[in-house]
Amino acid sequence: MRKNITLKDIASELGVTAMTVSKALNNHPDISEARKKQILEMAEKMNYIPNALAKNLRTKSSSLIGVIVADNSNPYFANSIKGVERVLSLNNYHSIIFNSNEDPKRERMFINDLRSLNVAGIIMAPALGNKQNVEMLKGIHIPYVLFSRYIDEITDTYVIADDISAGYLATKYLLEKKGGKVVFINSNLDVSTARNRMLGYNKAFAESGLPIDSGLVFSGALYISDGYELTKKILKKISPPFSLLCYSDYIAIGALQALSEENIKIPQDVALMGIDNIEYSAFTNPKLSTVALPSMQIGISSANLLIKIIKSKTSLDIKSKQIILRPHLMIRDST
Amino acid sequence: MRKNITLKDIASELGVTAMTVSKALNNHPDISEARKKQILEMAEKMNYIPNALAKNLRTKSSSLIGVIVADNSNPYFANSIKGVERVLSLNNYHSIIFNSNEDPKRERMFINDLRSLNVAGIIMAPALGNKQNVEMLKGIHIPYVLFSRYIDEITDTYVIADDISAGYLATKYLLEKKGGKVVFINSNLDVSTARNRMLGYNKAFAESGLPIDSGLVFSGALYISDGYELTKKILKKISPPFSLLCYSDYIAIGALQALSEENIKIPQDVALMGIDNIEYSAFTNPKLSTVALPSMQIGISSANLLIKIIKSKTSLDIKSKQIILRPHLMIRDST
DNA sequence: CTGAAAGCGCTTACAG
DNA sequence: CTGAAAGCGCTTACAG
């Protein structure tokens, strides 16, 4: 690799010292306009690229931000990452991305990598119910924001959707429209999102006065295929008409496929509803009703919050470090 | 932020010097087993995290790799990124991600950011037909791999799918199964993938002896909504039965929605085919036939190739730096 | 086997 | 307004 141009190279070209060049390049007041102009032009001409690592080492600052998710190809995370990347690059930060695959050991390893790289902060969706790594983050005083999920509702810093509302809005709508038989395919209850959507489900039932049948609730769905297989199983045990609420649109697409294969009429026999509002949901057949979560906005807010934390000299009130974004119903043709 | 533990801290704790500690930590041979053990234990106890920036600065190496795509939330790129991240993190590299939004100016800015961070290499899907930035990459001798697309077929380093084959396999299949009326909704012809899929389309026609009707080819589709709207337009001009080949599954999902709304029977009236084989394609109704491209494998191979280039002392033969992966037909229910 | 010296490229006080 | 000195945390020759 060709040798990079350094401050020294520019300096010797101009017969000044490196610090004078540094000052010119950093808009330091202690420098004459003529010198500054001369130096800037030479830097331009020599195609100077500052060495950010050296700068970081010296100033103990950093433009690097770690972003840890379970899986960047999950459309929900993909959207959030897009929001994060947009805000960070706009503010001259750089996103280092890791997929934890929901494995706390990998997550821990990545956090140590990020410490080693001296990152300015970390944005992460903590792996399934793993408490220790978030504790570690707090312990080492690296600015961090959890996104999409939290571990400790009271003490963590996070940006999430109001998952209780999401579960509540969906269930309430289905109860009113289709009655009390609301089957719920939920995700892994180790995740705060799944627990809270369940709470919302229960709340809607409580409000309606209708009894909850725990035999209608299924947990642990993670992939499209789980939605597909669980729905097939459900159809053998529970006879239509009923409503089917899924933890995510992703899961609901699997359910949709199973329902189609069994020639179930949607929404007449089974009213199907997802949560998330991923792009594909508007293009399924029938179009999927869902609860829209602001996935990109969660990324945007997380990045903005992290930057605010990094830049604030005094520590912020915990309340201002917990952002909960509101979901809304998106009724299409499947309910 | 709390002060980090340094080599010096460990050294003074043990009454040795920093270089001795450095040697112990780096498995240098010039050190007694007893000292090494003692130092390793102390480092562990003090929870030492090496400063990668200082190391990089000194050794002029780097664990950072830049990854530039148009949009990380595009399912095709999302999969490739997943492959890249997997290989890089396995090899102790770190992925810095940028979305160019197909804007060459942003791309250029990001490349300069990456130079500034002294990255070990760059993996990128070059923005729409932009030649200059790749030329710059070559000029500054940073190891790079283009993925999914190339700019200059002969001289670039890249990992791509065989897009000519993809277009050819799809068109040939449709010609044989449904005859010569194959409508093609293509993407922006500034991208090598679109140009090559078009070549494959032409090749299949040439082979079949059937005449090409240029009125059947539509270019420039980028989003799901383009697939939807173009299909609506096409249905007004061209009467079924015909085949409809789409540049991507993503586009095909938009087309599928338009066809469903118009009550077109698939595949009887319109045989629909995509390219990519994204996860959703197996769950549409009817299930989408497509040409499967190894999107994750492209990411994996790109990362492996880049690492190979970084580690090789002598420059590699250009042929070994151009990897073309084979697509295959995935026939489901829409054709 | 251990240490003193130098330097990666930068910036921060401090002199003059 | 400009420069000499020191140091961020690390590693690489080189002595001993």
Side-chain angles (χ1 to χ4, degrees):
Chain A
M1 195 168 343
R2 204 165 57 180
K3 190 182 166 304
N4 283 322
I5 305 295
T6 68
L7 286 185
K8 230 175 172 175
D9 297 328
I10 300 176
S12 71
E13 199 72 23
L14 252 33
V16 296
T17 60
M19 10 315 20
T20 305
V21 178
S22 169
K23 280 175 189 164
L25 261 29
N26 289 300
N27 256 318
H28 199 283
D30 275 4
I31 195 154
S32 70
E33 277 305 319
R35 262 264 177 279
K36 194 161 127 184
K37 185 156 171 281
Q38 179 195 32
I39 289 171
L40 257 38
E41 276 167 5
M42 181 56 78
E44 177 75 38
K45 187 181 147 206
M46 295 178 76
N47 198 10
Y48 171 69
I49 304 276
N51 183 325
L53 264 39
K55 182 173 185 165
N56 290 354
L57 181 61
R58 178 60 234 243
T59 60
K60 297 196 165 280
S61 68
S62 171
S63 70
L64 301 174
I65 304 268
V67 181
I68 305 177
V69 297
D71 174 5
N72 76 280
S73 71
N74 175 315
Y76 181 85
F77 286 130
N79 255 327
S80 295
I81 291 171
K82 188 174 179 174
V84 167
E85 193 277 337
R86 183 178 298 174
V87 172
L88 291 187
S89 74
L90 206 62
N91 287 276
N92 297 313
Y93 285 100
H94 301 117
S95 326
I96 301 185
I97 290 223
F98 294 105
N99 289 329
S100 72
N101 304 341
E102 302 285 11
D103 176 353
K105 274 193 214 117
R106 279 173 69 84
E107 189 176 88
R108 185 183 186 84
M109 205 177 73
F110 292 151
I111 293 174
N112 280 331
D113 280 9
L114 292 169
R115 290 174 70 184
S116 181
L117 288 166
N118 203 26
V119 294
I122 294 178
I123 295 177
M124 83 177 190
L128 289 182
N130 165 56
K131 202 178 171 65
Q132 290 179 23
N133 291 342
V134 178
E135 287 307 317
M136 178 169 83
L137 271 186
K138 291 177 182 169
I140 57 185
H141 298 103
I142 290 189
Y144 78 94
V145 172
L146 304 186
F147 77 124
S148 146
R149 324 159 167 177
Y150 54 69
I151 301 292
D152 187 310
E153 185 180 1
I154 308 299
T155 62
D156 289 347
T157 297
Y158 53 78
V159 178
I160 57 167
D162 185 339
D163 292 298
I164 298 179
S165 280
Y168 171 79
L169 287 172
T171 308
K172 185 181 176 206
Y173 175 86
L174 291 171
L175 283 170
E176 283 171 3
K177 182 129 184 184
K178 295 279 176 178
K181 214 163 155 189
V182 182
V183 179
F184 183 19
I185 298 183
N186 200 2
S187 183
N188 189 316
L189 291 170
D190 284 338
V191 191
S192 63
T193 47
R195 287 197 306 277
N196 285 334
R197 289 174 199 180
M198 186 77 235
L199 289 177
Y201 175 94
N202 291 339
K203 184 178 158 198
F205 265 92
E207 232 179 67
S208 73
L210 293 167
I212 293 185
D213 175 355
S214 65
L216 299 183
V217 177
F218 302 81
S219 296
L222 291 175
Y223 305 106
I224 285 187
S225 53
D226 296 327
Y228 176 85
E229 282 156 22
L230 274 169
T231 302
K232 288 268 182 169
K233 210 176 86 183
I234 288 164
L235 285 171
K236 282 185 187 137
K237 295 204 292 191
I238 305 171
S239 50
F242 59 81
S243 297
L244 177 54
L245 174 61
C246 293
Y247 169 78
S248 66
D249 288 1
Y250 201 58
I251 304 289
I253 286 171
L256 180 58
Q257 186 58 21
L259 294 170
S260 297
E261 280 184 17
E262 302 291 333
N263 290 310
I264 304 290
K265 286 207 189 78
I266 306 171
Q268 295 84 343
D269 296 340
V270 172
L272 178 67
M273 188 149 204
I275 296 179
D276 272 356
N277 193 29
I278 63 175
E279 193 176 12
Y280 304 95
S281 304
F283 295 91
T284 55
N285 183 20
K287 295 177 186 166
L288 186 66
S289 292
T290 188
V291 182
L293 303 187
S295 53
M296 182 135 71
Q297 186 58 46
I298 285 179
I300 292 172
S301 296
S302 299
N304 279 324
L305 176 56
L306 183 66
I307 292 173
K308 191 170 140 195
I309 293 172
I310 291 170
K311 299 211 162 151
S312 72
K313 292 297 159 197
T314 59
S315 76
L316 302 170
D317 175 36
I318 186 68
K319 279 290 161 207
S320 66
K321 295 195 289 185
Q322 295 175 339
I323 298 177
I324 302 178
L325 299 172
R326 297 181 58 171
H328 64 273
L329 275 178
M330 177 73 76
I331 300 305
R332 289 193 275 242
D333 305 333
S334 70
T335 54
Chain B
M1 196 172 336
R2 204 166 57 178
K3 190 181 166 305
N4 284 323
I5 304 296
T6 69
L7 287 185
K8 230 176 173 173
D9 297 329
I10 301 177
S12 71
E13 198 72 23
L14 252 33
V16 296
T17 61
M19 19 287 46
T20 306
V21 178
S22 169
K23 280 175 189 165
L25 261 28
N26 290 300
N27 256 319
H28 199 282
D30 275 3
I31 195 154
S32 69
E33 277 305 319
R35 261 266 176 279
K36 194 162 129 185
K37 184 157 173 280
Q38 179 194 33
I39 289 171
L40 257 39
E41 275 168 5
M42 181 56 78
E44 177 75 40
K45 186 181 147 206
M46 295 177 78
N47 197 9
Y48 171 69
I49 304 278
N51 184 326
L53 263 39
K55 182 174 187 164
N56 291 353
L57 182 60
R58 178 59 234 247
T59 61
K60 295 196 166 281
S61 68
S62 172
S63 69
L64 301 173
I65 304 267
V67 181
I68 306 178
V69 297
D71 174 5
N72 76 280
S73 71
N74 175 315
Y76 181 85
F77 286 130
N79 256 327
S80 296
I81 291 172
K82 188 174 178 174
V84 167
E85 193 277 338
R86 182 179 297 174
V87 172
L88 291 186
S89 73
L90 207 62
N91 288 277
N92 296 313
Y93 285 100
H94 301 117
S95 327
I96 301 186
I97 290 224
F98 294 104
N99 289 328
S100 73
N101 305 340
E102 301 286 10
D103 177 353
K105 275 193 214 118
R106 278 172 70 84
E107 190 177 87
R108 185 183 187 85
M109 204 177 72
F110 292 151
I111 292 174
N112 280 331
D113 280 9
L114 292 169
R115 290 174 69 184
S116 181
L117 288 167
N118 203 27
V119 294
I122 294 178
I123 295 176
M124 84 176 189
L128 290 182
N130 164 57
K131 202 178 172 64
Q132 290 179 22
N133 291 342
V134 178
E135 287 306 318
M136 178 169 83
L137 270 186
K138 291 178 182 168
I140 56 186
H141 298 103
I142 289 188
Y144 79 94
V145 171
L146 304 186
F147 76 125
S148 146
R149 322 160 167 178
Y150 54 69
I151 301 293
D152 186 309
E153 185 180 0
I154 309 299
T155 62
D156 290 348
T157 296
Y158 52 78
V159 178
I160 58 168
D162 185 339
D163 291 299
I164 298 180
S165 280
Y168 171 79
L169 287 172
T171 309
K172 185 181 176 205
Y173 175 86
L174 291 170
L175 282 170
E176 282 170 3
K177 180 130 187 183
K178 294 278 176 180
K181 215 163 155 190
V182 182
V183 179
F184 183 20
I185 298 184
N186 201 1
S187 182
N188 190 316
L189 290 170
D190 284 338
V191 192
S192 63
T193 46
R195 287 196 307 274
N196 286 334
R197 289 174 199 180
M198 187 75 235
L199 289 176
Y201 175 93
N202 291 339
K203 184 177 158 198
F205 264 92
E207 232 178 67
S208 74
L210 293 166
I212 293 185
D213 175 355
S214 65
L216 299 183
V217 177
F218 302 81
S219 296
L222 291 174
Y223 305 106
I224 285 187
S225 52
D226 296 328
Y228 176 85
E229 282 156 22
L230 274 168
T231 302
K232 289 268 182 169
K233 211 177 84 183
I234 287 165
L235 284 171
K236 283 186 187 135
K237 296 204 289 189
I238 305 170
S239 50
F242 59 80
S243 296
L244 178 53
L245 173 62
C246 293
Y247 168 78
S248 66
D249 289 1
Y250 200 58
I251 305 290
I253 286 171
L256 180 59
Q257 185 59 21
L259 294 171
S260 296
E261 281 184 18
E262 302 292 334
N263 290 311
I264 305 289
K265 286 205 189 79
I266 306 171
Q268 295 85 342
D269 295 341
V270 172
L272 179 65
M273 187 149 204
I275 296 179
D276 272 356
N277 193 29
I278 62 175
E279 192 176 12
Y280 304 95
S281 304
F283 295 91
T284 56
N285 182 20
K287 294 177 185 165
L288 187 66
S289 292
T290 188
V291 181
L293 303 187
S295 52
M296 182 134 73
Q297 186 58 46
I298 286 179
I300 291 173
S301 296
S302 299
N304 280 324
L305 176 57
L306 183 66
I307 291 173
K308 191 170 141 196
I309 293 172
I310 291 171
K311 299 210 163 152
S312 73
K313 292 297 161 198
T314 60
S315 78
L316 302 170
D317 175 37
I318 186 69
K319 278 289 161 207
S320 66
K321 294 194 289 183
Q322 295 175 339
I323 297 176
I324 303 178
L325 299 172
R326 297 181 58 171
H328 64 272
L329 275 177
M330 177 73 77
I331 301 305
R332 288 192 277 243
D333 304 334
S334 70
T335 54

